[in-house]
Each structure stands twice: as C-alpha cells, then as structure tokens.
Amino acid sequence: MNRSIRSFLALSAHVATLAAALLSPVALAASPGNDPAALAQIRDTAMQSDYAWERMADMTDLIGPRLSGSPGAAAAVTQVAEAMRKLGARVTLQPVKVPHWVRGVETGEIVEYAGRPQGITQRVVLTALGGSGATPAGGLTAPVMVVKSFDELKARSAEVKGKIVLFDASFDQHQADRGLAGQAYGQASSFRRSGPPMAAEMGAVAALVRSVGGANYRLPHTGSTALQDNARIPAAAVTAEDAMLMGRLAKRGPLSMKLVLTPKTLPDADSYNVIADLPGTEKPDEIVIVSGHLDSWDLSPGAHDDAAGVASAMAVLDTLKKLDYRPRRTIRVIAWMNEENGKRGARAYAAAEQANTEKHIGAIESDNGAGRPFGLRASVPATSSKLFAPLQAALQPIGAGIFRREDALLTGDLSFLERTGVPSFAPLIDTSSYFDYHHTPADTLDKVDPDHLRRHVAVMAATSWFLANIEQPIGRANVPER
C-alpha cells in the first residue's frame, strides 16, 4: 500500500471518528438542557461577568434620564438594540405610541401662616407628578388644606373648593424593613395616584402628596397620577420634611402657598419596545421572555428603576453566548417602553401576541431595584412548584434558592400577559432601601452594588435557561380578578 493511499485511509478514519463524535451524546454537551452542571455553569459565568454593569453604566452615565417621548428614551432604544445585535441576537423594534409629558418650572413657597415673622416665607421642595396640569405662568396662591386620608377628605369635602389639598400620608418604613416594601409602597402611592383626581372632583385648585419613599433626605419622589384631561389640576409631590412642616403649621392656624408648575402634555410620540431573540433549536415558536423597562422618570438616570433590570436581561444572552449554550425554546429579551407613565409598550406587545399567548412558556421581569436577590417569585400553579427544585438547587450556592409561589400580578409590564395565563417570574429582592431612591434624583449608578447585580443576572439567566429547556409543562398562571 503506497503512502498516498495510507494517508487517504488515515484521513478517512479521522473524519469518521469526528463524525461519530459529533453524533454522540458527549458532543451534544454544548446544549445540555437542565443538567445540574449546566445550570451551575450559567450561574458561575454570570457571577464572573460585569457585562450588566457595563451596559447599565452606558445607559445611566452616557444617556441619563429616559422618560418616554424624550431624546433620552430614543437614545436608549438605539443603544440597547445595537448591544443586542453585537451579541448576535435577532433584534426587532416594535413601534409604540407613547405619552410625551415635559416637566417645566416647579416651585413652591409657604407665604402665609400663623406666627409668620414679617418678610419671612418658606420654600417647599417639590416636583411635579406625571400627568400634572399647569398653574398660570406666574403661579397660583391658595390656602392649603392638610388631610391624612381619603376618609378625612370626604368628611371635609365642603372645605375643598379653591384649596390646595395636601395628602400627608407617610410611607411605612417599618413594613419595608421587614420585607413588605411593596405593600408599604402600594398603600402610600394610592394617594399619589388617586388623590389628585379626587381633589379635583371636589373643586381643589391643586393637589400635593407627601413623597412616597422611606428616606427623609428632603428628596421629592415623582410618579404617575390618574388625572384626566377634563380635570387636570396641578399636582406635585413634596418632600416628607415639607409635608410634616405644613402639617405642623396647619395646627397653628390657616396657611397659604404659592405654587408654580408649568408642565406640558405634548402629542403622543413614536417609540419602540426593543425585542432581541435567541432562537430555540427545537421549539423556536415557543417563547421565554426575560425583561426590564427601558424608560425612567426624568429626574434621574433611573439606575435601580429600571436600568438594572434591562441590563440584567441583556446579560442573559451574553452569559449564554459565553458558554455557547443554545436553548430548546426561544429566549426573548424585551426592553419595555413606557412602563412609568402608561405601560404602552406592554399593551402593544400583548395586543400583537394576543393569538400567541399559549406559546409563551414563561415571562420574567426585574423591576424592583437592584437589591440583593434571594430567589424567585413565581405566578405558577401550586402543583408546579416542585418542578423548580433543580433551579433552586443551582441558585442556592449564591443564596438565591428561595422559590415563592403566588397567585398575583408580579410586575406591571407582564400583567397583561399574566392575565391570559402566561406564568410570570420576578427576582425575589431585598427592597428595604429601594424606595429611598425610587423616582428621585438620587437613583444613580453609584447606588447599585455590582455584586448584587451579578446575582440578578445569575438568577435571571438560570431561570431563563431552565424555562427554555424544561420538559414537563408548568401549567398556566391563575391570577384572581381585581
């Protein structure tokens, strides 16, 4: 046998060996499903990466505030889409018409009160609430009426006409310190949302609310209201310190305030949800969403709310790319637009996917800040909880193995899908200090702990992978009607 024939046969044998290896179970390890070792690899890879931090820094430091309709929001759409394309994702920009509200001038001054020394007035630190109406350019001056509850407002309804109504309801930090920050926020934010329209119906000329947050550093906390065009009175949040001051002054006697708010509601603007798909290898038509919302309020870069959530979702694809892991189902990263003052992005997606919700196997959103995660909240059937034991085991080494099942709407953007039965998930986060910064100028990059952010990515990446590869059906969400 000559040398050329021997070489040919050797080459053929080598090719055959390679072909056999490629078809063997060992070679398929690049797509290992929910093997414990694979989940551990995803966890560890996420814990060793600063990709999410880098993307969050890009969003907060290079762009800044991103209220829907603003140049910042438009820049964020471009930035996130480009980053996802660099990872090889299939990127779609889903058109959304969004509110375009701009803040304008905002000042407050207590100009009359019992015992006021001659020539003395007191500045009030405040910020307009989303959807607020405007005062005349020169402002308005009116008596202030302080109430502690909706019941008190109703009982004193005859006094409301022509007044500035202040809702002085405090945020319960004791609840927040004990793991009930969401409940504390829900109680206090009801006054921000429903108080101004209720005061408007009774004839108030403006409405103020005590800022919804736990740190009294004379920071105003903005947020949305339920004001409508037929009664869009000026509305602002005052700091906790100023609310308490006005409460004390009201006990001494009548007080009046000069208020200047000049926001504008402009025509709806064009914007987008950013959708980035890592297609599934076996069931590409079945979808697992991992997400955060792209917009922030205009007072700050929104590091906790919600640049951290978007960056963590983006980092899921980066983690899987580093490992060259290909999911059975499509993993879809969504950066939602307009969560803060309308949820138009979530509504647009739900409408577009209305006939396809059965193909949505699960949806994850992080929108409770970047505190340390301890596990998952899950809106799944009770009978499915046991299926997640392998995921819990994989996350336990980083202290994130808790699995808390709920029949509840977990996050705003996912609520429209969840009502159709799509199981939803959210990191279970320490939120005890989240509302110190929430919707304030202090929600900046330096408030986020990089180690906590890595843990967020580990939780979201492992959960996304687990859902994309799970064999058993987990059932549909069962959210009670509200």
Side-chain angles (χ1 to χ4, degrees):
M1 186 179 298
N2 64 37
R3 181 177 299 175
S4 61
I5 295 175
R6 285 199 303 269
S7 298
F8 174 78
L9 291 176
L11 179 61
S12 299
H14 181 63
V15 170
T17 300
L18 285 175
L22 288 172
L23 294 173
S24 72
V26 173
L28 296 178
S31 299
N34 285 333
D35 181 81
L39 292 170
Q41 281 270 53
I42 291 169
R43 176 200 67 214
D44 293 345
T45 301
M47 290 296 293
Q48 294 163 12
S49 174
D50 285 323
Y51 180 87
W53 177 267
E54 292 162 359
R55 300 291 74 73
M56 185 175 63
D58 287 347
M59 198 178 302
T60 58
D61 285 352
L62 301 184
I63 296 175
R66 304 176 302 282
L67 188 61
S68 65
S70 70
V77 167
T78 300
Q79 186 186 84
V80 171
E82 289 179 352
M84 292 291 88
R85 290 189 185 103
K86 286 180 181 178
L87 291 180
R90 187 176 63 206
V91 175
T92 303
L93 299 183
Q94 184 177 49
V96 183
K97 281 285 188 182
V98 297
H100 189 188
W101 179 86
V102 293
R103 183 169 299 281
V105 177
E106 45 189 26
T107 63
E109 187 178 18
I110 306 170
V111 295
E112 290 293 345
Y113 52 93
R116 180 178 69 89
Q118 182 67 31
I120 297 296
T121 61
Q122 299 212 47
R123 177 179 176 239
V124 173
V125 179
L126 53 74
T127 191
L129 294 172
S132 169
T135 66
L140 63 82
T141 301
V144 176
M145 175 180 169
V146 182
V147 298
K148 295 284 189 181
S149 67
F150 292 129
D151 287 341
E152 183 181 356
L153 179 68
K154 293 172 184 175
R156 298 174 60 187
S157 59
E159 304 174 46
V160 174
K161 190 172 182 179
K163 301 281 179 56
I164 298 173
V165 174
L166 166 62
F167 293 90
D168 183 19
S170 62
F171 177 86
D172 192 337
Q173 185 61 40
H174 292 291
Q175 284 188 342
D177 289 339
R178 287 153 182 81
L180 300 171
Q183 289 85 337
Y185 179 72
Q187 292 164 11
S189 64
S190 65
F191 293 96
R192 187 194 72 211
R193 180 165 181 78
S194 301
M198 186 179 293
E201 288 176 8
M202 295 181 180
V205 295
L208 307 174
V209 298
R210 180 169 171 162
S211 282
V212 182
N216 296 340
Y217 301 134
R218 218 173 184 199
L219 280 171
H221 297 235
T222 193
S224 60
T225 71
L227 287 165
Q228 301 296 322
D229 284 336
N230 59 348
R232 198 175 289 279
I233 61 173
V238 301
T239 68
E241 293 88 343
D242 288 298
M244 290 186 281
L245 170 63
M246 286 189 277
R248 294 192 299 268
L249 292 176
K251 291 178 180 178
R252 291 174 176 264
L255 69 150
S256 294
M257 180 179 184
K258 181 178 180 181
L259 180 66
V260 180
L261 296 176
T262 62
K264 294 180 180 179
T265 300
L266 303 176
D268 284 356
D270 293 319
S271 192
Y272 305 90
N273 290 327
V274 181
I275 300 174
D277 285 347
L278 176 61
T281 57
E282 296 179 29
K283 300 181 177 183
D285 60 327
E286 295 186 3
I287 296 164
V288 173
I289 291 172
V290 59
S291 65
H293 68 80
L294 196 54
D295 59 312
S296 75
W297 279 103
D298 56 328
L299 297 184
S300 78
H304 276 276
D305 187 21
D306 184 33
V310 173
S312 295
M314 296 166 70
V316 169
L317 296 196
D318 177 70
T319 301
L320 298 180
K321 181 179 180 181
K322 285 184 169 83
L323 293 166
D324 195 25
Y325 281 5
R326 309 299 172 89
R328 295 175 63 218
R329 299 180 178 92
T330 294
I331 294 178
R332 172 169 290 173
V333 173
I334 302 181
W336 306 101
M337 181 54 70
N338 183 232
E339 186 276 342
E340 293 293 1
N341 60 338
K343 296 182 177 61
R344 300 273 188 89
R347 293 175 192 273
Y349 183 87
E353 297 289 336
Q354 186 174 9
N356 197 38
T357 56
E358 288 291 331
K359 293 292 187 179
H360 285 67
I361 303 305
I364 309 162
E365 183 174 23
S366 178
D367 185 22
N368 279 304
R372 178 171 169 172
F374 296 109
L376 276 176
R377 299 167 62 210
S379 180
V380 298
T383 53
S384 297
S385 294
K386 61 182 181 294
L387 298 177
F388 292 86
L391 177 62
Q392 289 178 263
L395 295 174
Q396 188 57 49
I398 60 169
I402 296 173
F403 187 85
R404 193 169 80 189
R405 195 202 72 81
E406 304 175 36
D407 287 323
L409 299 172
L410 300 184
T411 68
D413 290 304
L414 299 184
S415 62
F416 305 102
L417 293 174
E418 195 174 353
R419 287 190 180 97
T420 70
V422 177
S424 66
F425 302 81
L428 177 59
I429 298 168
D430 175 7
T431 54
S432 57
S433 63
Y434 174 46
F435 293 103
D436 292 0
Y437 315 117
H438 182 255
H439 294 184
T440 77
D443 186 9
T444 49
L445 180 66
D446 54 286
K447 306 304 189 306
V448 176
D449 184 320
D451 179 67
H452 291 173
L453 190 66
R454 294 185 200 101
R455 294 168 189 264
H456 275 256
V457 178
V459 169
M460 293 169 72
T463 304
S464 300
W465 179 261
F466 187 83
L467 293 171
N469 292 281
I470 195 168
E471 296 285 352
Q472 304 94 323
I474 61 176
R476 307 303 282 173
N478 181 29
V479 178
E481 293 292 331
R482 294 205 223 186

